């Protein structure tokens, strides 16, 4: 079970995120501190524009922090080369693939690029990694179809399959349920939950599906304008951390059910 694993994958201390220019730093969030452990499913929630994507870009080295440290498997994130980082973190963004004119199997196989030689030749290990990724995401039957033929839900599962084929200890996803209906939103989050618990990978994802995240995640990062909180959903509810997410005159959080309701 995820709760039995204690090995830390990602550690954040005194982190300030935002944008740096010649004139000044624009701070988006500060004093962030948390640790992600092996086998955990961790959700990142907060209102639009609060800085969720900025945080994910910083954690994946796409954007430099203003201050603080990020350690990945005990090593400073800035010490990794791009190739080394590709074997440690796989990223699933909200954008569709640059080219959908490839088959699902070809797209998933791109996850093996950090491990193939300069000719891109696949070994038995690479083939098995791709086959397993297709299997656990239930996309085997789609492998010969072109990506442009897929629905949004199917394409999201294929993107997760590519991340799995990359075989990294940490998977980070930015809004993996965007544009999906309720069934597929629940399906994707349940898939991530099972992947974390069964494979031992650490999975961090941002989401607007706060109700579902409360039910399925091991830990939650809650970003508010005042501070960012990190704990189990139950403890965050007890501490009233969800009450500050949205204006009280519009949206109310019911601690008993763990759900948000619109005030009439």
């Amino acid at each position: 079970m995820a709760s039995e694993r204690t090995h830390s994958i990602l550690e954040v201390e005194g982190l300030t995120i935002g944008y740096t220019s010649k004139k000044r730093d624009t701070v988006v969030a500060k004093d962030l501190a948390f640790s992600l452990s092996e086998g955990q499913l961790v959700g990142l929630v907060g209102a639009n524009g609060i800085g969720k994507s900025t945080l994910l870009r910083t954690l994946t080295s796409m954007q430099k922090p203003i201050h603080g440290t990020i350690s990945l498997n005990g090593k400073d994130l800035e010490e990794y080369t791009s190739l080394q980082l590709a074997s440690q973190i796989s990223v699933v963004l909200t954008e569709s693939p640059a080219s959908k004119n490839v088959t699902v199997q070809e797209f998933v196989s791109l996850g093996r690029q950090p491990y193939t030689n300069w000719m891109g030749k696949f070994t038995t290990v690479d083939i098995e990694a791709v086959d397993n990724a297709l299997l656990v995401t239930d996309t085997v039957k789609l492998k010969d179809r072109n990506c442009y033929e897929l629905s949004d839900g199917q394409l999201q599962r294929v993107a997760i399959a590519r991340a799995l084929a990359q075989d990294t200890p940490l998977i980070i996803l930015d809004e993996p349920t965007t544009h999906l209906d309720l069934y597929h939103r629940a399906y994707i989050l349940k898939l991530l939950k099972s992947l974390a618990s069964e494979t031992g990978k650490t999975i961090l994802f941002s989401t607007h599906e706060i109700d579902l995240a409360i039910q399925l995640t091991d830990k939650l990062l809650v970003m508010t304008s005042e501070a960012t909180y990190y704990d189990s959903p139950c403890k965050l509810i007890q501490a009233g951390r969800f009450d500050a997410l949205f204006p009280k005159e519009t949206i109310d959080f019911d601690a008993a059910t763990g759900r948000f309701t619109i005030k009439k």
Side-chain angles (χ1 to χ4, degrees):
M1 297 293 293
S3 59
E4 297 171 348
R5 299 186 175 97
T6 57
H7 175 59
S8 178
I9 298 296
L10 186 77
E11 293 188 2
V12 172
E13 290 289 343
L15 184 65
T16 296
I17 60 173
Y19 303 90
T20 301
S21 66
K22 292 181 180 180
K23 294 183 178 180
R24 64 187 178 91
D25 293 334
T26 302
V27 174
V28 172
K30 61 183 180 179
D31 300 326
L32 306 182
F34 55 89
S35 177
L36 309 185
S37 297
E38 179 184 359
Q40 283 185 334
L41 178 64
V42 181
L44 170 60
V45 300
N48 278 339
I50 202 68
K52 299 188 296 297
S53 293
T54 302
L55 175 57
L56 294 187
R57 286 196 298 269
T58 306
L59 296 180
T60 54
S61 201
M62 295 179 184
Q63 186 170 325
K64 286 188 176 296
I66 293 176
H67 182 72
T69 60
I70 304 169
S71 298
L72 179 61
N73 274 322
K75 179 179 176 180
D76 194 294
L77 190 67
E78 294 185 353
E79 295 179 11
Y80 284 89
T81 65
S82 296
L83 186 59
Q84 289 172 336
L85 205 58
S87 66
Q88 297 295 314
I89 305 177
S90 49
V91 182
V92 179
L93 301 175
T94 52
E95 293 84 5
S96 297
S99 174
K100 291 187 178 182
N101 196 26
V102 293
T103 68
V104 166
Q105 186 159 25
E106 289 169 339
F107 181 68
V108 174
S109 297
L110 293 174
R112 298 303 299 170
Q113 284 184 333
Y115 311 102
T116 56
N117 60 30
W118 66 274
M119 296 180 64
K121 185 176 181 180
F122 270 35
T123 65
T124 302
V125 173
D126 296 317
I127 295 170
E128 288 178 351
V130 171
D131 288 345
N132 182 65
L134 291 167
L135 181 64
V136 299
T137 55
D138 192 26
T139 51
V140 174
K141 58 183 176 293
L142 303 175
K143 68 177 184 177
D144 295 321
R145 292 176 62 181
N146 287 315
C147 288
Y148 67 75
E149 301 177 284
L150 305 181
S151 68
D152 288 336
Q154 290 171 330
L155 195 58
Q156 194 59 263
R157 278 189 287 144
V158 169
I160 294 170
R162 185 188 64 174
L164 285 175
Q166 198 170 330
D167 196 20
T168 58
L170 176 61
I171 300 175
I172 294 181
L173 308 96
D174 191 8
E175 299 285 356
T177 56
T178 299
H179 308 309
L180 303 184
D181 59 28
L182 179 60
Y183 168 77
H184 286 97
R185 294 200 299 268
Y187 182 97
I188 291 296
L189 294 187
K190 287 183 69 175
L191 172 62
L192 296 178
K193 176 70 172 179
S194 65
L195 290 174
S197 61
E198 293 171 13
T199 67
K201 295 184 183 299
T202 304
I203 301 177
L204 170 65
F205 68 100
S206 62
T207 184
H208 289 295
E209 312 302 329
I210 303 176
D211 294 357
L212 290 175
I214 287 173
Q215 297 176 58
L216 292 171
T217 58
D218 299 301
K219 294 284 185 73
L220 275 174
L221 272 163
V222 181
M223 295 187 75
T224 73
S225 56
E226 288 78 28
T228 297
Y229 305 100
Y230 180 63
D231 214 326
S232 66
C234 286
K235 290 183 178 179
L236 289 168
I237 290 173
Q238 292 170 1
R241 300 308 186 195
F242 296 104
D243 297 333
L245 282 179
F246 305 107
K248 288 184 178 296
E249 65 272 14
T250 306
I251 298 176
D252 185 52
F253 179 74
D254 187 341
T257 62
R259 297 183 183 279
F260 290 90
T261 56
I262 300 174
K263 287 188 174 180
K264 297 180 180 179

